[in-house]
Amino acid sequence: MTDVHLDLVEERCPMSLLLVKRAFKQIEIGQLLSVRLVDKHSVSDVLQYLSIQNAAIHHRIEGEVSVINIRKQDD
């Protein structure tokens, strides 16, 4: 099981949210999805979406880039 990395710094909402949703649905339980975003609306929308999913979320900011690490958890 390898980590999945999405570099979405060039994307804006709603495309960035759609790409995160698609990737989250495809990863396995325990697998890490790492997402890089710049658009503040995208960050907000992605975090809101993930808050209702069964996922462990770690969000940090590196300069202008938000990095969100998501790990799908077992129900």
Side-chain angles (χ1 to χ4, degrees):
M1 181 170 23
T2 60
D3 296 344
V4 177
H5 300 276
L6 289 179
D7 188 354
L8 303 178
V9 296
E10 299 295 323
E11 298 293 337
R12 302 293 178 257
C13 255
M15 183 54 72
S16 55
L17 178 60
L18 295 173
L19 292 170
V20 170
K21 284 182 175 182
R22 181 184 300 160
F24 183 75
K25 288 179 183 178
Q26 293 177 347
I27 64 171
E28 299 176 24
I29 293 171
Q31 191 172 10
L32 178 70
L33 170 61
S34 182
V35 181
R36 294 172 44 86
L37 298 161
V38 173
D39 180 54
K40 293 184 187 331
H41 295 291
S42 296
V43 172
S44 176
D45 288 350
V46 166
L47 290 173
Q48 184 177 8
Y49 165 74
L50 291 171
S51 71
I52 59 173
Q53 303 303 312
N54 195 16
I57 305 160
H58 180 262
H59 176 221
R60 70 180 187 276
I61 299 173
E62 297 176 352
E64 295 182 11
V65 178
S66 285
V67 179
I68 304 171
N69 289 322
I70 307 134
R71 193 170 302 274
K72 189 181 274 190
Q73 299 182 43
D74 197 3
D75 293 333

